[in-house]
C-alpha cells in the first residue's frame, strides 16, 4: 500500500522490504547468468551490500516491533535471526572464493536458496501479520526508520551504474566486507 501525501509519496515498511527482497534475488539471478567473472563478483558484492543493509534495518526496527506486538513474536523473531545468521555465514564464505571457481557458483546458489526461503517466510507469514497488527501510519513510520537505517551504510553501486567512489572509500569490496558493512550499519567504529 502506498500512502500519497502532499509532499510526495511514502511507502510502508512491507512494500519497502518486499521490494528489497525482489532486488537482492534478482542481482543473484543475474550473477548466475553472466559468464563475465568480474561482473559476477560485482553483482554478488552488490547483493551482499543490499542484504546487509536490509537485514540490519529489519533487526533494528522491524523485528523488535514484531517481538513486542505479534502473537508468538519472540519465536518468530528468533527463527528469523537464525536465518539471517546463516545467510551472513554464506556471504562471508563468498568473500574468500574466486568468482571464476565452481565453489563460488555453488555458494551463490546456496545464498539464493536461503534468501528465497527467508523472504518467502517473511512475505507469506510475518508481513501479513504486521499489516494486521499495525496501523498504516505506524507501518509508514517504520518504513522511514528502515530507510534511514539503510542509509548508515552506502549502497554498493549497481554494476550497470556509474562507479561510486563513496562506497569504495567507506566500505570497499572483498574480504571483510560483511563485517565492515555491519560495523557501519550498527555504528560501531572498530577501525
Ligand atoms: Fe529478514
Ligand atoms: Fe527481509
Amino acid at each position: 500500500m502506498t500512502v500519497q501525501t502532499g509532499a510526495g509519496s511514502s511507502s510502508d515498511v512491507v512494500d519497502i522490504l518486499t521490494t528489497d527482497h525482489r532486488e537482492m534475488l534478482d542481482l543473484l539471478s543475474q550473477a548466475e547468468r553472466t559468464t563475465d567473472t568480474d561482473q559476477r563478483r560485482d553483482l554478488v558484492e552488490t547483493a551482499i551490500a543490499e542484504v546487509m543493509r536490509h537485514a540490519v534495518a529489519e533487526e533494528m526496527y522491524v523485528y523488535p516491533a514484531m517481538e513486542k506486538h505479534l502473537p508468538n513474536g519472540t519465536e518468530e523473531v528468533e527463527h528469523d535471526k537464525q536465518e539471517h545468521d546463516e545467510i551472513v555465514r554464506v556471504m562471508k564464505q563468498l568473500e574468500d572464493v574466486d568468482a571464476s571457481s565452481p565453489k563460488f557458483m555453488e555458494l551463490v546458489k546456496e545464498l539464493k536458496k536461503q534468501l528465497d526461503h527467508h523472504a518467502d517466510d517473511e512475505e507469506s507469514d510475518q508481513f501479513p501479520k504486521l499489516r494486521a497488527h499495525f496501523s498504516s501510519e505506524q507501518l509508514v513510520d517504520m518504513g522511514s526508520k528502515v530507510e534511514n537505517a539503510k542509509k548508515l551504510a552506502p549502497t554498493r553501486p549497481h554494476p550497470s551504474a556509474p562507479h561510486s567512489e563513496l562506497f569504495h572509500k567507506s566500505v570497499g569490496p572483498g574480504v571483510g566486507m560483511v563485517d565492515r558493512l555491519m560495523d557501519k550499519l550498527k555504528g560501531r567504529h572498530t577501525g
Side-chain angles (χ1 to χ4, degrees), residues 6 17 31 58 67 71 86-87 94 99 119 125 132 134 139 141 156 169 172:
L17 297 176
E58 278 183 342
E67 231 163 352
E86 283 161 26
I87 287 165
L94 268 166
D125 185 29
F134 292 87
L139 293 173
D141 183 58
R156 192 174 191 316
K169 267 196 199 132

Side-chain angles (χ1 to χ4, degrees), residues 17-18 20-21 24 54-55 58 63 84 115 118-119 122-123 127:
L17 297 176
T18 304
D20 284 356
H21 292 164
M24 51 186 80
H54 176 94
E58 278 183 342
Y63 291 178
H84 280 190
L115 275 175
H118 181 68
E122 289 182 337
E123 288 170 30
F127 293 174

Side-chain angles (χ1 to χ4, degrees), residues 14-65:
V14 172
D15 289 328
I16 293 167
L17 297 176
T18 304
T19 303
D20 284 356
H21 292 164
R22 295 285 81 74
E23 283 174 2
M24 51 186 80
L25 285 164
D26 182 54
L27 284 164
L28 293 176
S29 297
Q30 289 181 51
E32 282 181 319
R33 280 198 303 269
T34 183
T35 50
D36 177 330
T37 52
D38 285 342
Q39 200 196 14
R40 183 181 302 151
R41 159 72 62 195
D42 260 7
L43 285 159
V44 168
E45 284 181 354
T46 307
I48 289 176
E50 291 310 313
V51 171
M52 286 312 299
R53 284 152 32 93
H54 176 94
V56 171
E58 278 183 342
E59 292 188 18
M60 283 170 86
Y61 295 109
V62 186
Y63 291 178

Side-chain angles (χ1 to χ4, degrees), residues 65-83:
M66 279 168 38
E67 231 163 352
K68 215 171 157 192
H69 300 284
L70 300 191
N72 298 320
T74 311
E75 290 78 8
E76 303 226 21
V77 166
E78 177 74 11
H79 173 82
D80 278 341
K81 283 186 174 170
Q82 269 172 17
E83 290 188 345

